[in-house]
């Protein structure tokens, strides 16, 4: 597959041409970037904005970084930011310079995001000593950060996350084991497709199909060897939940709350594309493999056993998702600790206090946001790198799949019920983070 992908990349012309950033600067000039021409300053600002955007972060953070760079160099910058592109203009009081920049692909990279945050923070004190060429060299080094983890490790991270997710949704040991292997194989396939720059839709279809086939194969083997009950097939849905686009779902809500309409709507559309393709693929695989999304068998555990196992499963689930977002181990563990507390709180509010699931999701996300604000001072990572992974496990992927499955078999009333429940939870999650940010961040709560 590797040789085939390399030969394809050599023969297929790029649809998005590369930008040669060093062409904007004169490598022999020794003056600091603060004294450079408007075009050179604007190229640095635009490149930093595009690199932030490539990490999957929202328009608020991208614009904040571009503003910080602009202020250091004595410019005013206005930017219109989407999911994949930025249109921006820089003013110096006498002239203006405009550019339209576009990414070739999007994803989530928390390691790169952290490096960029540190670069922008340090740039404030260094812009009088760095030349434009030196700035672009440092950005070259940051841009080389792709994935911290290989496809096998990413497969293992998805296996851990979805195995834990299975228990949190009500599945038992059999479902957890089958989902573990199904998700691991599925995300390994997706990682290989992404590594070789194959198209988004193909990667989704291949990975979801691989996950469902793997789960069904293991389930049939378990039936032969251990004579397990048919109800254990319900966990096949959990094997594909690694595909749920929690990061763009949540960042779209945050952008919309700040009236970054273009970015918010584009992120939401991107998330919906993934959801629709994934659920349709899983539905077709269910028809081919004769799988049915039935209820899980009851788990006979005491209250304290539930709480302890939910804490452990939530920690493992969030840790796995954080690794899939290319987070360093320390960052992943920080998000997992917050996610364990916040998600267990959410589940216990539903079970013990009879909260509606959407209201419990709001409280869980709010708690995650408050805890992340407190922890951020000690771990030194961007808030979004902690908060979003910590609540991705709350995104109702099971509800979304059941809504589409029942739509496919024309059970319209059941489909509408699952979809309504999913939408309420999806709306509640970013709202919880938004209100936590409003309380803890003065710059965010002001309309500036």
């Amino acid at each position: 597959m590797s040789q085939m992908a390399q030969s394809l990349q050599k023969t297929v012309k790029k649809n998005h041409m590369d930008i040669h950033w060093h062409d904007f600067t004169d490598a022999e000039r020794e003056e600091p970037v603060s004294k450079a021409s408007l075009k050179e300053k604007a190229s640095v600002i635009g490149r930093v904005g595009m690199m932030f955007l490539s990490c999957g972060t929202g328009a608020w953070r991208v614009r904040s970084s571009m503003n910080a760079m602009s202020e250091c160099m004595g410019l005013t910058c206005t930017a219109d930011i989407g999911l994949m592109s930025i249109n921006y203009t820089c003013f110096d009081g006498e002239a203006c310079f405009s550019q339209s920049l576009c990414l070739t692909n999007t994803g989530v990279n928390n390691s790169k995001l952290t490096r960029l945050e540190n670069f922008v923070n340090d740039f404030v004190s260094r812009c009088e000593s760095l030349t434009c060429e030196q700035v672009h060299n440092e950005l070259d080094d940051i841009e080389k950060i792709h994935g911290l983890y290989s496809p096998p490790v990413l497969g293992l991270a998805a296996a851990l996350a979805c195995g834990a997710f299975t228990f949190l949704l009500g599945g038992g040991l059999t479902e957890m084991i089958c989902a573990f292997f199904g998700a691991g194989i599925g995300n390994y396939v997706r990682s290989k497709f992404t590594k070789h720059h194959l198209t988004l839709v193909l990667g989704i279809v291949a990975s979801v199909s691989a996950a469902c086939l793997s789960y069904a194969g293991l389930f049939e083997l378990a039936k032969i060897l251990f004579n397990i009950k048919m109800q254990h097939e319900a966990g096949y849905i959990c094997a594909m939940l690694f595909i749920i686009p929690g990061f763009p779902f949540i960042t779209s809500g945050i952008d919309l709350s700040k009236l970054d309409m273009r970015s918010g709507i584009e992120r939401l559309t991107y998330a919906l594309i993934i959801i629709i393709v994934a659920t349709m693929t899983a539905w077709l695989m269910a028809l081919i493999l004769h799988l049915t999304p039935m209820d899980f068998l009851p788990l006979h555990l005491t209250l304290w056993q539930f709480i302890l196992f939910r804490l452990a499963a939530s920690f493992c689930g969030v840790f796995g998702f954080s690794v899939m977002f290319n987070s360093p181990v320390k960052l992943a563990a920080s998000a997992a600790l917050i996610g364990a507390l916040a998600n267990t709180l959410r589940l216990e509010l539903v079970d013990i206090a009879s909260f509606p699931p959407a209201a419990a999701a709001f409280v869980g996300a709010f708690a995650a946001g408050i805890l992340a604000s407190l922890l951020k001072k000690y771990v030194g990572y961007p808030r979004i790198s902690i908060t979003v992974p910590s609540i991705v496990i709350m995104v109702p992927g099971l509800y979304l799949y059941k809504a589409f499955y029942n739509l496919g078999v024309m059970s319209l009333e059941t489909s509408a019920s699952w979809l309504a429940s999913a939408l309420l939870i999806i709306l509640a999650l970013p709202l919880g983070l938004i209100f936590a940010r409003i309380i803890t961040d003065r710059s965010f709560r002001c309309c500036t």
Side-chain angles (χ1 to χ4, degrees), residues 158 161-162 165 182-183 186-191 193-194 199-209 211-212 237-249 270-282 321 324-325 392 395 397-398 400-401:
C162 291
F165 217 151
N187 200 46
Y188 172 79
V189 170
R190 182 173 69 156
S191 301
F193 275 54
T194 302
T199 187
L200 173 71
V201 173
L202 179 60
I204 296 169
V205 171
S207 59
V208 171
S209 299
C212 291
I237 304 171
C238 304
M240 54 161 275
L241 293 181
F242 64 87
I243 206 74
I244 297 300
F247 218 98
F249 252 144
Y270 170 74
L272 289 175
I273 289 170
I274 296 175
I275 289 291
I276 291 169
V277 174
T279 51
M280 181 171 285
T281 303
F321 279 118
M324 288 165 61
F325 297 150
V392 161
V395 175
L398 177 69
L400 291 168
Y401 173 73

Side-chain angles (χ1 to χ4, degrees), residues 227-303:
N227 194 30
I228 62 172
K229 296 180 180 179
M230 281 296 297
Q231 285 91 332
H232 291 299
E233 77 175 24
Y236 80 93
I237 304 171
C238 304
M240 54 161 275
L241 293 181
F242 64 87
I243 206 74
I244 297 300
F247 218 98
F249 252 144
I250 293 163
T251 52
S252 72
I254 295 172
D255 279 346
L256 290 172
S257 75
K258 297 300 293 182
L259 299 185
D260 278 309
M261 304 303 289
R262 178 186 167 198
S263 178
I265 291 171
E266 288 182 14
R267 287 176 186 282
L268 181 60
T269 303
Y270 170 74
L272 289 175
I273 289 170
I274 296 175
I275 289 291
I276 291 169
V277 174
T279 51
M280 181 171 285
T281 303
W283 172 60
L284 291 173
M285 291 302 298
L287 294 180
I288 294 169
L289 300 171
H290 305 291
L291 299 171
T292 306
M294 58 186 70
D295 293 332
F296 291 108
L297 292 170
L299 299 175
H300 302 291
L301 298 173
T302 65
L303 174 62

Side-chain angles (χ1 to χ4, degrees), residues 18 49 59 98 108 116 168 177 179 186 269 271 351 379 405 425:
D18 292 328
S98 297
V108 181
L116 283 169
L168 295 172
I177 293 171
T269 303
D351 287 354
V379 296
Y405 180 91
I425 295 172

Side-chain angles (χ1 to χ4, degrees), residues 303 306-307 310 343-353:
L303 174 62
F306 262 120
I307 292 174
R310 281 172 172 172
N343 192 52
T344 303
L345 171 64
R346 174 184 72 95
L347 294 171
E348 297 310 319
L349 285 174
V350 173
D351 287 354
I352 298 175

Side-chain angles (χ1 to χ4, degrees), residues 18 21 29 31 53 73 96 109 133 153 213 240 253 299 348 437:
D18 292 328
W21 292 105
R29 291 174 67 181
E31 64 182 5
L53 195 64
M73 295 185 283
C96 63
N109 191 328
E133 186 68 14
V153 174
L213 280 168
M240 54 161 275
L299 299 175
E348 297 310 319
R437 186 77 181 269

